Amino acid sequence: MLGRSPYRGGSLRPENCGQNALATIASLCFSVFVIGVLIFTIISVAYQPQDPFFPSSSKMTKFLSSDSNPTFKSDSGVVRTGEDLIASDQTAFSAFINVSDVESAVMGAGFEEFTEIRDCRVADPINCRDLEVFHLLMRAAIEEFSDVHFYKFGKPVEGDNSSSCHMAWRFRPKEGKVGGFNKDYRSFRVVRSENCTLSVVGIGEYHSGGNARKRKVKGKIVEKVPATAMDNLDIGETVNDALPTVESEGSFSEGKYLIYAGGGDRCKSMNQYLWSFMCMLGEAQFLNRTLVMDLSMCLSKIYSSSGVDEEGKDFRFYFDFEHLKDSASVLDQAQFWSDWNKWQKGDGLKLHLVEDFRVAPMKLAKVKDSLIMRKFGGVEPDNFWYRVCEGEAGSVVQRPWHMIWKSRRLLDVASAIASRMSWDFDGVHVERGEKAKNKKLWPNLGRDTSPKSLAAKLSDKIEDGRNVYIATNEARTSFFDPLKEKYSIHFLDDYKDLWDTNSDWYYETTKLNNGNAVEFDGYMRLSVDSEVFFRGKKQIETFNDLTKDCKDGVNTC
């Protein structure tokens, strides 16, 4: 017994070792295969491809609350809104139109050259609705504006005279970090030679083709445009941000509504206002209720020229209300209370009052009353709207960032500025002001943003002779005069005519404001300044590229 192996059987005999090894390897491979199939199955079930235009809510929130944009991320900075995320996924914009596409269309239509097939007379008016003319204008636009990508053209219409055609299109600059599409409509001068060949001999300035600017019919509150249906929007359409209305007593009484009353978010920075507003809109979406919102805003003193908080500002001055009302069910507060007072008693409409922000939205899901009113007290920060979305509610209520875009009127001003530089410029942001004076928190900023230092640093980043747009809070633009030796320098105030009393912006905002003039205030300036900056082919930022100081002070990087 003492001489025998403690293991019985023949499994460890030398002649069986090879078979055992093969069996072990086979078992291991099979196990790996089974585990791989299981992982693949789980991923296949769980995976949901993201919309290329609008990422998930969690990605939205991370994007808008992150510090990835060190230049404009501050209490007084410009708010990053839903259309900014469009630029984060360039794959959504791969199908732009180029000259070869137009030439293929021409050949397919039987036009080997741009020559009229029928007999013609040189003096005859140009028929702007001819397919031949459409192709001609498209090709002329693509060849003329080589720094942008074209995504959709509108059909040409008659222009100012017999040799003029107007056409609109949607486009994006080839370079830069601007999100979404821009629109333009221009005047084309078309001439006909003696052999009937048509050619474009001139293209007007930005937005010169006013006849291609479409007028939209006022939409109904119940009619929604899908948030991802950007391609289906009419090209060259005017802004339609008229207030939505309820068509009848029956439709009003059958509706369910949510309203926030009071609170401490008023007159705070635009960043805080929008963070709170999106919580309110998110709760309305979660409860499947129409949001009753106050379009009258208070502009914080950090943006006002008077240095004090200013009431009576319209939400539509700063944000795209047309896109919001097409994406969500919203009503203006004044209109709502008028209808409520008219029909509440007769129709037995009930109000459910909530006075504690800690009452989670989930607890209100089964409330059947027509109106849920959240009433906020006077003690900060417990009266901030965004407190509703904290804690457990934060994982349930999603802020629908894709529903909030910047005002298209402000974006049009930014695009007009970029267009005057032919979309061929570089952007530089220079933040100075009080930060440059505070040596304790920003010891190097003043020196690093001096003209001498700027000239040295930009020489390595921007070629001589380039158009350079400087977005800055430095009041004296003459401060940057030394840079003019190497660059063509541009500032926001160089384009004051775009918001003066003769501008489209002034006309449209005055009409929106019941005939009263609207000041181009500090937040509007900041918004346009930053948007032009992002439209540049290069973006040189203060706290990324010009100084090693931290944006929020020493030891905060």
Side-chain angles (χ1 to χ4, degrees):
M1 294 289 295
L2 293 176
R4 296 182 59 185
S5 170
Y7 299 99
R8 295 186 179 183
S11 60
L12 292 181
R13 293 176 182 176
E15 60 271 22
N16 294 332
C17 288
Q19 296 178 356
N20 293 336
L22 290 174
T24 302
I25 293 173
S27 298
L28 181 61
C29 292
F30 181 74
S31 299
V32 172
F33 173 75
V34 171
I35 293 172
V37 171
L38 180 60
I39 293 174
F40 178 79
T41 303
I42 293 173
I43 293 175
S44 298
V45 172
Y47 174 72
Q48 294 180 351
Q50 293 184 352
D51 189 310
F53 285 95
F54 302 109
S56 65
S57 297
S58 60
K59 187 175 179 181
M60 282 275 186
T61 300
K62 181 179 179 181
F63 175 86
L64 288 151
S65 60
S66 71
D67 293 324
S68 59
N69 177 7
T71 298
F72 291 101
K73 181 73 168 67
S74 68
D75 283 343
S76 60
V78 66
V79 176
R80 303 173 75 183
T81 52
E83 82 278 9
D84 290 326
L85 280 113
I86 298 175
S88 66
D89 192 340
Q90 298 296 333
T91 60
F93 306 107
S94 57
F96 62 89
I97 304 170
N98 55 42
V99 172
S100 62
D101 296 324
V102 178
E103 291 175 347
S104 297
V106 172
M107 295 299 292
F111 298 117
E112 296 186 3
E113 295 181 353
F114 287 105
T115 304
E116 292 180 304
I117 297 175
R118 64 184 184 279
D119 294 334
C120 69
R121 291 180 297 179
V122 174
D124 284 347
I126 302 298
N127 184 356
C128 299
R129 298 185 181 275
D130 269 4
L131 182 61
E132 172 190 355
V133 176
F134 186 22
H135 291 151
L136 174 65
L137 300 188
M138 283 194 291
R139 188 163 69 178
I142 294 171
E143 292 175 346
E144 175 70 17
F145 306 113
S146 58
D147 288 306
V148 304
H149 283 318
F150 294 86
Y151 290 89
K152 191 176 181 183
F153 286 94
K155 294 181 179 179
V157 297
E158 284 70 22
D160 302 322
N161 52 54
S162 61
S163 62
S164 171
C165 294
H166 292 181
M167 185 175 69
W169 58 80
R170 286 194 178 274
F171 69 97
R172 281 170 51 86
K174 289 182 178 178
E175 301 180 53
K177 297 179 181 178
V178 60
F181 291 114
N182 297 279
K183 71 173 183 296
D184 198 356
Y185 32 87
R186 301 220 184 196
S187 174
F188 293 76
R189 183 165 176 252
V190 183
V191 298
R192 181 187 291 110
S193 65
E194 293 183 357
N195 65 353
C196 294
T197 300
L198 300 177
S199 59
V200 173
V201 295
I203 301 178
E205 297 295 325
Y206 181 79
H207 280 195
S208 58
N211 293 348
R213 189 179 186 183
K214 298 181 180 179
R215 306 290 173 179
K216 296 186 71 175
V217 178
K218 182 178 179 180
K220 300 178 181 178
I221 184 174
V222 295
E223 294 179 351
K224 302 290 186 294
V225 177
T228 58
M230 190 180 297
D231 283 341
N232 295 324
L233 294 176
D234 288 334
I235 301 173
E237 80 283 0
T238 56
V239 179
N240 175 26
D241 48 15
L243 299 181
T245 58
V246 180
E247 292 184 331
S248 66
E249 177 181 352
S251 60
F252 180 86
S253 299
E254 293 172 1
K256 302 293 182 183
Y257 307 95
L258 172 70
I259 189 171
Y260 281 28
D265 295 289
R266 202 164 187 83
C267 302
K268 294 295 190 295
S269 71
M270 199 68 81
N271 284 14
Q272 178 172 331
Y273 166 77
L274 198 57
W275 185 251
S276 288
F277 176 83
M278 294 308 296
C279 172
M280 176 175 63
L281 182 59
E283 182 178 25
Q285 295 283 299
F286 174 77
L287 298 175
N288 196 26
R289 287 175 173 264
T290 295
L291 177 64
V292 181
M293 58 178 289
D294 186 359
L295 268 73
S296 178
M297 298 174 58
C298 174
L299 183 71
S300 171
K301 60 186 178 183
I302 62 178
Y303 309 115
S304 69
S305 58
S306 63
V308 298
D309 298 334
E310 295 180 354
E311 291 280 1
K313 300 293 183 176
D314 197 307
F315 179 92
R316 295 169 291 182
F317 295 164
Y318 310 100
F319 303 106
D320 188 343
F321 185 65
E322 179 178 7
H323 177 69
L324 175 61
K325 70 180 181 179
D326 284 343
S327 305
S329 182
V330 294
L331 281 176
D332 173 51
Q333 187 178 111
Q335 178 65 46
F336 172 80
W337 285 126
S338 175
D339 292 337
W340 178 269
N341 293 332
K342 188 188 306 181
W343 296 318
Q344 181 264 334
K345 187 174 182 180
D347 292 347
L349 306 180
K350 296 182 179 180
L351 181 152
H352 183 89
L353 183 63
V354 181
E355 297 187 272
D356 189 342
F357 73 87
R358 288 167 293 193
V359 177
M362 298 79 78
K363 295 182 179 180
L364 302 177
K366 294 184 180 180
V367 173
K368 296 183 179 179
D369 294 337
S370 298
L371 174 63
I372 294 177
M373 175 188 285
R374 281 193 179 273
K375 189 175 181 180
F376 295 83
V379 180
E380 297 182 4
D382 287 348
N383 64 352
F384 292 151
W385 293 352
Y386 67 76
R387 298 299 301 274
V388 173
C389 295
E390 294 180 338
E392 184 183 359
S395 61
V396 177
V397 176
Q398 303 296 323
R399 286 177 167 86
W401 291 107
H402 62 278
M403 295 181 179
I404 293 293
W405 292 359
K406 298 183 186 72
S407 162
R408 283 162 52 197
R409 295 184 180 92
L410 293 179
L411 295 181
D412 280 347
V413 173
S415 292
I417 295 173
S419 178
R420 290 188 182 180
M421 292 184 282
S422 301
W423 295 89
D424 186 18
F425 67 97
D426 299 311
V428 178
H429 180 255
V430 182
E431 185 169 347
R432 289 178 54 82
E434 294 302 318
K435 287 186 178 182
K437 299 176 183 178
N438 190 334
K439 303 297 183 182
K440 188 174 182 179
L441 291 178
W442 296 276
N444 305 300
L445 181 60
R447 182 184 69 251
D448 291 343
T449 56
S450 66
K452 182 178 180 180
S453 180
L454 286 174
K457 292 178 180 178
L458 294 181
S459 64
D460 296 331
K461 302 177 184 295
I462 299 178
E463 297 176 2
D464 290 1
R466 292 280 297 160
N467 285 318
V468 175
Y469 182 86
I470 298 181
T472 183
N473 61 349
E474 175 61 51
R476 299 168 297 127
T477 56
S478 59
F479 177 83
F480 300 98
D481 281 352
L483 298 179
K484 293 181 179 179
E485 296 179 4
K486 298 180 65 175
Y487 308 109
S488 177
I489 303 297
H490 306 262
F491 300 96
L492 178 63
D493 281 339
D494 294 341
Y495 305 94
K496 286 183 178 180
D497 63 295
L498 294 174
W499 61 85
D500 68 12
T501 54
N502 296 317
S503 67
D504 287 343
W505 178 89
Y506 183 87
Y507 170 77
E508 293 176 6
T509 54
T510 299
K511 183 178 180 181
L512 188 65
N513 201 35
N514 298 318
N516 299 311
V518 176
E519 179 190 6
F520 196 75
D521 60 48
Y523 186 75
M524 296 174 185
R525 293 177 61 87
L526 182 63
S527 185
V528 172
D529 219 15
S530 62
E531 284 297 319
V532 178
F533 169 81
F534 285 122
R535 282 161 168 74
K537 290 186 174 180
K538 292 181 180 178
Q539 294 86 34
I540 310 300
E541 301 193 78
T542 303
F543 295 99
N544 261 0
D545 306 302
L546 301 179
T547 182
K548 292 183 179 179
D549 283 355
C550 303
K551 181 167 180 63
D552 296 318
V554 173
N555 298 325
T556 61
C557 294

